[in-house]
Amino acid sequence: MKPIIKRLSAIACALSCVLTAAPAVYAEEEASELPAPTDWMGQLSDDTCLSSVTIPGTHDSATAHIFPSFFLQCQKLEFAEQLDAGYRYLDIRVALDEVEGSEPKLKFIHNFGTCKKKSSFLQLFSDTLYLDDVLTDVYSFLDEHPEETILFCVKKENGDDDAALFEDTFYRYLDANPKYWYTKNEIPTLGDVRGKIVLATRFTDVNSEGEDRTGLHFSWSEQNNKEAVADVQEVTVITGTNQLYVQDRYKYSVSMKWDAITETLENCQANDETFSLNFCSTSGSGYAGHPKRYARLINKQLLAYELNPGTSYGIINVDFGNTKVAQHIYGANFQ
């Protein structure tokens, strides 16, 4: 009797393993049908307008090693890892760092926190992350993957910085490697910008650099309300008939934020003349938030949300993005 029981037990165990493993195998097969995260844009047609592509992006992209981290960290992956994972919109928030006797530089900050190069036990004393550190990674990625393009949205994060000096400093970085940059205030096709960084700016052109230097005008009002509004998207003009729709309700509770995200997905305006920015990030409606906890809940809902293949959802920005989330987003570009 005992051998029979043992045999039945072994069969039951084997069946259990098969049934348990089946969803994982299916998920791997489903993911394998998509282009690799490093080269997915290369599978799209050259004549596709960038605004019509569904693009995964990261919010506060430089915060993997920010100090202090609990309230301010929004990403786990560093820039090079984000690009390798499939993210093509980078949220760049920089401030002037003036050192006597040398040219000013731009450092990454978020609110009152300083972004660092690496995480360490004594995080306060880690090296500061500067714009040239990140551009080295971005240029290297584009050299290795020349069919890709990266949206680089730059914000002057410190309101006390001298605007003219900030712009002079920023354009010094661009002029050092102009071949990598697309700086017109015109929505390009992918064929126009493969292997390039598409500049988008969230600062005023006080130095009169002009429309061919300031990139796409991505400016919008602070959406820091905690109460629900009738229309969660703000509409601004990029240039001429080109528009930008933005949902960035970063003070919403998780449930309100998810409603804002899905409302934007269901009523997305992205097309050949219109960009859509849909932020999945929130710091919560309380006095002090914890972005990582909120991101865990929202990213889980996003992965369960069906994005229709061939539908343009614009740019979808997330906190604590990983490869799985990026693939779920850029997968909407493929039938």
Side-chain angles (χ1 to χ4, degrees):
M1 192 69 178
K2 285 184 179 180
I4 295 175
I5 293 174
K6 286 184 178 180
R7 194 173 299 167
L8 289 173
S9 177
I11 293 170
C13 182
L15 285 171
S16 175
C17 290
V18 170
L19 291 172
T20 302
V25 172
Y26 175 77
E28 288 175 5
E29 288 176 352
E30 190 176 39
S32 68
E33 294 174 0
L34 294 173
T38 51
D39 299 286
W40 65 268
M41 278 185 160
Q43 306 304 309
L44 301 176
S45 172
D46 276 353
D47 60 6
T48 305
C49 284
L50 190 61
S51 52
S52 291
V53 181
T54 300
I55 300 173
T58 54
H59 159 253
D60 259 309
S61 307
T63 56
H65 307 303
I66 195 168
F67 180 86
S69 63
F70 185 85
F71 304 112
L72 298 177
Q73 185 185 14
C74 298
Q75 301 300 329
K76 182 178 180 181
L77 303 181
E78 297 176 3
F79 277 94
E81 294 171 319
Q82 291 174 28
L83 295 173
D84 285 344
Y87 293 94
R88 296 293 179 268
Y89 175 98
L90 299 177
D91 185 10
I92 306 298
R93 305 185 182 210
V94 284
L96 281 169
D97 187 9
E98 299 181 67
V99 179
E100 189 174 349
S102 61
E103 287 186 309
K105 300 176 70 175
L106 292 178
K107 64 180 179 180
F108 283 87
I109 66 171
H110 172 39
N111 204 313
F112 57 86
T114 300
C115 301
K116 305 289 186 175
K117 290 183 182 179
K118 294 290 182 183
S119 182
S120 70
F121 178 71
L122 297 175
Q123 185 78 329
L124 177 62
F125 303 102
S126 297
D127 291 338
T128 298
L129 182 68
Y130 288 97
L131 182 57
D132 45 349
D133 299 317
V134 170
L135 288 177
T136 298
D137 287 339
V138 174
Y139 296 154
S140 177
F141 178 84
L142 290 173
D143 287 341
E144 294 175 12
H145 307 280
E147 295 298 300
E148 303 300 291
T149 189
I150 297 164
L151 266 159
F152 207 76
C153 186
V154 180
K155 180 184 179 185
K156 182 168 77 73
E157 184 74 351
N158 184 359
D160 294 331
D161 280 347
D162 179 85
L165 181 58
F166 176 91
E167 290 182 26
D168 280 341
T169 304
F170 175 69
Y171 285 107
R172 180 161 44 84
Y173 285 96
L174 269 66
D175 292 338
N177 285 285
K179 70 175 184 177
Y180 287 103
W181 292 89
Y182 177 89
T183 60
K184 295 180 181 179
N185 186 29
E186 297 176 3
I187 298 176
T189 64
L190 280 176
D192 294 328
V193 291
R194 293 198 190 277
K196 292 184 179 294
I197 302 167
V198 176
L199 175 63
T201 51
R202 292 181 66 186
F203 55 83
T204 305
D205 181 21
V206 298
N207 291 344
S208 301
E209 294 283 346
E211 293 289 292
D212 287 339
R213 288 271 283 170
T214 52
L216 297 166
H217 295 174
F218 274 25
S219 296
W220 61 91
S221 304
E222 289 290 310
Q223 298 182 10
N224 56 357
N225 56 296
K226 297 182 180 181
E227 301 78 24
V229 293
D231 190 348
V232 296
Q233 298 180 76
E234 177 186 330
V235 188
T236 62
V237 175
I238 298 176
T239 182
T241 59
N242 297 156
Q243 293 182 312
L244 171 70
Y245 281 71
V246 182
Q247 181 285 115
D248 186 21
R249 305 291 165 178
Y250 64 91
K251 287 289 187 180
Y252 272 10
S253 65
V254 170
S255 61
M256 289 173 60
K257 183 66 177 183
W258 179 245
D259 288 343
I261 294 165
T262 53
E263 180 182 324
T264 304
L265 291 173
E266 291 165 6
N267 300 285
C268 189
Q269 303 295 320
N271 56 50
D272 287 357
E273 294 187 335
T274 304
F275 269 103
S276 172
L277 274 177
N278 192 359
F279 283 86
C280 298
S281 49
T282 184
S283 59
S285 57
Y287 177 74
H290 184 35
K292 187 172 187 178
R293 185 175 72 224
Y294 306 143
R296 188 181 298 117
L297 297 170
I298 290 172
N299 289 348
K300 183 177 180 181
Q301 290 176 294
L302 181 61
L303 285 169
Y305 186 92
E306 184 177 356
L307 297 172
N308 297 318
T311 300
S312 179
Y313 292 102
I315 301 161
I316 302 175
N317 292 323
V318 301
D319 277 351
F320 291 91
N322 58 27
T323 304
K324 188 175 182 180
V325 172
Q327 286 183 308
H328 181 64
I329 295 170
Y330 77 67
N333 295 292
F334 305 98
Q335 297 289 352

